[in-house]
Amino acid sequence: MSDRTIPKNASDVIYNIDAVYAYRPDLLAFDLYGDSALWWVFRARNPNVIDDPIFDFQAGVSIMIPKKDTLVNNLGL
C-alpha cells in the first residue's frame, strides 16, 4: 500500500459498497479505474472508515470514491 494521501475533491462520490465487492477492493478498483493495484486508494481516501483494507471493505459501508480524473491529477497516472 502507498502512504500517499488522496485529498478531498468536490467531485468525489459517496458509494455504498455492494455485496459483489465485499472484501475485494481490488475488484472495485479494476472496475472503476481499470487497475486493480489502485485498491489502496479507497483506504487512503477513507482513513476514518477503512482501517483494514480487506476486512473493513464490507457490503453496506459508505465510502467516498475519487473520480479517475482526480487520481490522474494527484498521482500522475
Side-chain angles (χ1 to χ4, degrees):
M1 183 180 97
S2 174
D3 289 331
R4 297 176 99 172
T5 59
I6 306 297
K8 294 179 183 180
N9 190 294
S11 68
D12 288 351
V13 176
I14 297 172
Y15 175 71
N16 290 317
I17 299 171
D18 290 324
V20 69
Y21 297 117
Y23 311 111
R24 294 300 306 267
D26 58 324
L27 294 180
L28 182 58
F30 182 80
D31 287 350
L32 292 176
Y33 308 128
D35 187 348
S36 62
L38 291 173
W39 61 268
W40 62 268
V41 166
F42 307 124
R43 184 180 185 283
R45 178 60 186 84
N46 299 277
N48 57 330
V49 178
I50 301 173
D51 184 44
D52 183 301
I54 303 299
F55 293 109
D56 291 342
F57 211 81
Q58 298 179 19
V61 172
S62 293
I63 60 173
M64 298 300 292
I65 293 184
K67 294 201 173 186
K68 188 170 185 174
D69 293 344
T70 300
L71 298 183
V72 169
N73 292 333
N74 288 287
L75 301 176
L77 301 177

